Amino acid sequence: MRLNLTKDINDHSLKDFYWLKEELQAFCRNDWLSASGSKIEISDRIETYIRTGEIKI
């Protein structure tokens, strides 16, 4: 069963599932993160945010 992509997800679960770039961008927009860049850049930005709360630009 796939989890919802929310700020309550842990970084391991983030990596365990396949996310569409559009899903990652929607998460960023909802949590005031930059939604631009490659899928890898966006995933890294979200992972940092989930682990530390830091918003990378």
Side-chain angles (χ1 to χ4, degrees), residues 9-53:
I9 196 170
N10 64 45
D11 58 327
H12 297 291
S13 294
L14 177 67
K15 291 181 179 182
D16 285 344
F17 295 97
Y18 178 84
W19 304 100
L20 297 175
K21 184 175 180 179
E22 292 79 17
E23 293 173 304
L24 299 171
Q25 288 174 318
F27 175 90
C28 288
R29 290 184 186 109
N30 287 335
D31 286 277
W32 303 99
L33 302 171
S34 172
S36 65
S38 70
K39 185 175 175 182
I40 293 171
E41 292 170 327
I42 296 169
S43 294
D44 289 344
R45 192 175 302 127
I46 292 171
E47 182 182 354
T48 299
Y49 176 68
I50 289 170
R51 278 189 298 123
T52 67

